[in-house]
Amino acid sequence: MSDLRIVDIRKRFGHQEVLKGISFTFEPARVNMIIGPSGCGKSVLIKCMVGLIEPDAGEIYYGTVDFRKATPEQKREILKNLGMLFQSSALFDSMTVKENVAFPMRIFTRSSESEIRDRVSYCLERVGLYGVEDKYPAQLSGGMKRRVGLARAIVLNPKYLFCDEPNSGLDPLTARRIDELIEQITEDFHTTTIVVTHDIRSLQILGDKILFIYDGEAVWRGTREELEGNNLENFPTKLKIFLQASGLYA
Amino acid sequence: MLKPLIQAFEAVGTYVLLLRRTFTGLLKWRLYWQLWTQEFIIIGRDSIFLVAIIAFFVGAVTTVQTAYQLVSPFIPKSTIGAIVSTSSILELAPTITSLVLAGRVGSNIASQIGSMRVSEQIDALEVMGINSATYLILPKLIAGLIAFPVLVIYSCAISHLGGIAAGAFTGSVNPTQFSIGARSFFEDFQVVFMLIKAITFGFIIITVSSYQGYYVRGGALEVGAASTKAVVVSSLMILIADYVLAQLLL
């Protein structure tokens, strides 16, 4: 049984029901994709899972612990095992690249300066960044920021890696490179990776297990093989329209 | 009719809850020491020049205007020194300095925290398991509570210098008469009152501005609006607190 699963997650903002009871079991040490059109509730779901938004109902299990009912110590322990790549990269403007990547280590470990330096160099090399350690986020391109964000997310060797729209706003080539990096990091670090995206092209690289959300509802669950090997007519209408609109599944 | 009242109560409640959160969940002291020194430089050192210019002219103008009003030959010229000195200690140094700092420091804090909110940097801290309120606000508050009294004492001294210089320049009161007057009406409690005001105003500026920045929703436009609101609300609160303290303590 997977150690990460969500059960009947519901969230309402005012009169609008954004998540209508979503349940899903994530594949461990694989890339799990949550796809759907913009505004369907993907980002709200991922934010509920990492504790940034409190859902109205439902359970979020990390192992046997329900995150919503966890004690502060249990929550801290879960969050220590969790890395997140944000849509805007969310790098700290006042810190250099190396300070950004080293930040979680300084907070949560008693590592020496040389250990921190080595780990930061390793993580930056791992995401293909060289010679940018002393630059500030404002001096980096969008793709480079995303890579630094990824390096920071993996610096503590997390068990779970959450990526919120990792390639939005990037040119197609850089976007594919980021997808490949996420795939490689999942393999090398054995992380349970959850990627939220509306970019259907990411499915060509990522996505061992897929959850399709439409209008706050889980419309389809399956694997990439099932998605690619199946006739479009066999899919729910909403997924069919989404796939057709992407142009990849005519 | 009731809606603005409810919103005001909600805002006060949220502000109090934010304050409570600010004092919980401390991480490593070493980390806060670094942040505290950075904030002390921004709030304290970087305000020195501005405070000096304003305090000098406030002292000078008060001297000229007091001399203009005291035209009777029966009133000794040292009275000008007494009035200027007492006004500077009790009101001008703490209040004018704090109103100026509400503009300089308050807007800076609101825009800094607001930018971090809209660019998901605060979310990144939370996902790492860091209490963002403590991490961002507490160092500013500690730095402010130390820097404000220091700046107000400094402002008071410069204001006296401005008064002496203006008196000598216009010939309305010479430095000796000024200092005789200043000393004749001086009481220790005036300095205590000035420091109580400085600490209270510092607390208001830092916490109100942090609150405005912390709860920003939207983008750059909202950050700008929060920055303006931080200055306006802080200034208003300073004036109200000024009256309350005078009523209670004098």
Side-chain angles (χ1 to χ4, degrees), chain A residues 8 33 89 91 108 148 196 205 225:
Chain A
D8 197 27
M33 297 278 281
S89 304
L91 300 178
F108 294 112
V148 177
V196 161
I205 297 165
E225 289 73 31

Side-chain angles (χ1 to χ4, degrees), chain A residues 119 122-123 126 154 157-158 184-191:
Chain A
R119 181 70 183 165
Y122 170 75
C123 288
R126 200 65 202 72
I154 60 170
N157 214 350
Q184 283 166 19
I185 282 166
T186 305
E187 271 183 36
D188 298 350
F189 288 69
H190 301 291
T191 57

Side-chain angles (χ1 to χ4, degrees), chain A residues 19-33:
Chain A
L19 298 175
K20 299 170 184 170
I22 293 182
S23 301
F24 192 65
T25 302
F26 294 87
E27 190 76 23
R30 297 277 181 201
V31 179
N32 297 267
M33 297 278 281

Side-chain angles (χ1 to χ4, degrees), chain A residues 10-19 44 53-54 56:
Chain A
R10 293 174 184 276
K11 181 67 189 173
R12 179 185 286 274
F13 292 111
H15 295 296
Q16 195 189 357
E17 195 172 12
V18 180
L19 298 175
V44 174
I53 294 176
E54 180 63 28
D56 298 330

Side-chain angles (χ1 to χ4, degrees), chain A residues 91-92 95-106 113 116-117 119-121 123-124 129 131-137 140 148 151-152 155:
Chain A
L91 300 178
F92 303 120
M95 297 182 193
T96 61
V97 165
K98 69 178 175 201
E99 286 166 347
N100 260 289
V101 179
F103 185 73
M105 283 192 85
R106 289 195 200 286
E113 278 306 308
I116 292 175
R117 207 168 36 243
R119 181 70 183 165
V120 168
S121 300
C123 288
L124 286 173
L129 283 174
V132 297
E133 290 88 343
D134 295 316
K135 286 187 191 285
Y136 283 89
L140 304 176
V148 177
R152 187 178 66 183
V155 75

Side-chain angles (χ1 to χ4, degrees), chain A residues 50-65:
Chain A
V50 298
L52 288 174
I53 294 176
E54 180 63 28
D56 298 330
E59 289 137 40
I60 301 155
Y61 286 101
Y62 287 89
T64 53
V65 180

Side-chain angles (χ1 to χ4, degrees), chain B residues 4-45:
Chain B
L5 199 67
I6 292 168
Q7 281 175 339
F9 273 114
E10 275 178 0
V12 172
T14 317
Y15 170 77
V16 172
L17 287 174
L18 179 66
L19 283 186
R20 202 180 73 170
R21 253 197 101 202
T22 302
F23 293 100
T24 54
L26 281 166
L27 291 163
K28 291 178 177 175
W29 276 107
R30 190 167 56 96
L31 189 82
Y32 288 101
W33 174 258
Q34 285 170 353
L35 290 169
W36 176 77
T37 46
Q38 285 168 8
E39 297 298 342
F40 193 76
I41 289 169
I42 295 166
I43 297 170
R45 191 198 67 181

Side-chain angles (χ1 to χ4, degrees), chain B residues 94-173:
Chain B
T95 310
I96 301 288
T97 304
S98 297
L99 287 172
V100 169
L101 290 176
R104 206 198 80 79
V105 176
S107 64
N108 181 287
I109 289 173
S111 58
Q112 187 205 344
I113 297 179
S115 303
M116 289 185 76
R117 168 63 74 193
V118 299
S119 61
E120 297 182 308
Q121 291 175 52
I122 291 181
D123 287 350
L125 286 170
E126 293 288 340
V127 169
M128 286 177 203
I130 298 166
N131 180 343
S132 58
T134 312
Y135 182 78
L136 293 173
I137 301 170
L138 191 62
K140 290 179 179 30
L141 189 58
I142 294 171
L145 292 181
I146 294 169
F148 271 74
V150 173
L151 285 171
V152 166
I153 292 169
Y154 167 74
S155 163
C156 187
I158 299 284
S159 171
H160 277 74
L161 286 178
I164 291 168
F169 183 71
T170 58
S172 54
V173 54

